[in-house]
Amino acid sequence: MNKKTYTLHTEDHDRNIFDSKYVYPVVSRRAGGLSLGVNLNTNNACNWQCIYCEIPNLTRGGPEPIDIDLLKDELNFWIDQIINSSFIQDNTPPDTTFADVALSGNGEPTAAPEFLNVLEIIIDCLKEFSLIDKIPVRLITNGSFISKKKECLNIINQHHGEIWFKIDAADEDSIKRINQVNLDPNSMINHLKICAEVCQTVIQTCFLKINQQLPTNDFLENYSRLIKPYEHIVKKIDLYSLARPSLQNNQDITIERLSFDELNNIKSILEKELTIKIDVFP
Ligand code: SF4
């Protein structure tokens, strides 16, 4: 029997399969279904340069100006496709459902000056299709600009949305190595606190084997120690590893995907210190 190959699956998050500039559907493991992504960084520029980033030709910087009318048209088009046509049935594995509208994309979305405007457009669009408070808005962020986006956090919270907040390491040297940014862990955790006090917030952590070495006990102890004081205000931690090959040219560093067993082993180590729920995504 021939196995059907679906256009969209979790191993391929190519934003360019369909002819859209800003809005793109993907099947997401962590969202648990079809995620309609809104990419505000069409120039592939981010203020971080994570060694595992899947963005092709990633450059350091901020987004280019956004064509708001085009973004609005694309959003309407895709939501209409998803709920009023056989798009999901024709392009995704069986039993896939519409999971969220995700502000993610090829860089840090909150770096866009138009971020609030875009968020309001998404909310209006979900209202028009009677999906408001049924389909959540998720913001996938490295948290860098979050202290300037409190109004946006309130809007996301009002509509039962969620923040996915990236923390891959908890000491300055490891953050520098993995996210390639100079960042004080206290500043990072303060950004997490700002999010989690307003919105449902999930920590997103990508663990890797770097130069054939698993995260060390010291690394994991630092991680637990940083998060511990805030675990009561965070919904959960999602642990995962490379899902798709990194598209970065990491000189002098090799990175490899952790196996499901290795991730589960790390989960057990963390659970000795943390009581927060931890989900592992293979
Ligand atoms: S924060 Fe996200 S988009 Fe930016 S470099 Fe890291 S993985 Fe890539």
Side-chain angles (χ1 to χ4, degrees), residues 27-227:
V27 173
S28 162
R29 292 173 302 163
R30 279 171 282 150
L34 184 88
S35 179
L36 191 60
V38 180
N39 176 20
L40 304 187
N41 305 73
T42 48
N43 57 350
N44 299 353
C46 188
N47 63 325
W48 290 16
Q49 285 210 303
C50 305
I51 53 175
Y52 57 82
C53 186
E54 316 162 352
I55 310 302
N57 306 315
L58 180 73
T59 56
R60 186 87 66 171
E64 58 194 356
I66 293 166
D67 182 339
I68 290 288
D69 289 338
L70 177 61
L71 186 148
K72 199 173 180 175
D73 286 349
E74 288 185 2
L75 195 59
N76 273 291
F77 169 82
W78 277 110
I79 295 185
D80 184 49
Q81 283 289 302
I82 290 167
I83 67 165
N84 293 325
S85 82
S86 59
F87 177 81
I88 289 190
Q89 194 186 332
D90 295 344
N91 292 284
T92 67
D95 303 325
T96 302
T97 54
F98 188 15
D100 66 14
V101 177
L103 281 149
S104 57
N106 292 5
E108 172 52 38
T110 59
E114 303 90 341
F115 184 77
L116 173 61
N117 196 352
V118 171
L119 180 60
E120 287 170 339
I121 286 168
I122 294 171
I123 298 293
D124 286 348
C125 197
L126 288 173
K127 281 181 184 161
E128 274 168 37
F129 284 92
S130 303
L131 294 172
I132 194 72
D133 301 335
K134 295 179 191 155
I135 297 296
V137 176
R138 288 205 168 95
L139 166 62
I140 302 175
T141 181
N142 64 30
S144 308
F145 306 99
I146 221 69
S147 56
K148 296 183 189 138
K149 303 290 171 185
K150 289 183 183 164
E151 187 182 354
C152 302
L153 295 179
N154 282 322
I155 293 171
I156 293 171
N157 182 52
Q158 276 161 23
H159 297 291
H160 316 293
E162 203 167 70
I163 310 296
W164 284 7
F165 192 100
K166 183 185 291 301
I167 297 184
D168 296 323
D171 64 273
E172 224 160 321
D173 287 347
S174 302
I175 294 170
K176 174 89 184 157
R177 190 179 200 205
I178 295 168
N179 306 116
Q180 301 201 74
V181 65
N182 292 313
L183 179 62
D184 178 352
N186 294 319
S187 160
M188 184 171 69
I189 208 72
N190 191 40
H191 292 149
L192 173 76
K193 187 166 170 272
I194 290 170
C195 286
E197 283 178 343
V198 177
C199 276
Q200 188 150 267
T201 299
V202 177
I203 294 173
Q204 300 288 311
T205 300
C206 180
F207 283 136
L208 305 162
K209 223 179 267 181
I210 300 178
N211 293 340
Q212 280 132 38
Q213 191 182 22
L214 285 162
T216 63
N217 285 340
D218 279 355
F219 180 98
L220 296 175
E221 267 172 36
N222 285 333
Y223 179 90
S224 301
R225 200 175 308 123
L226 187 76
I227 290 170

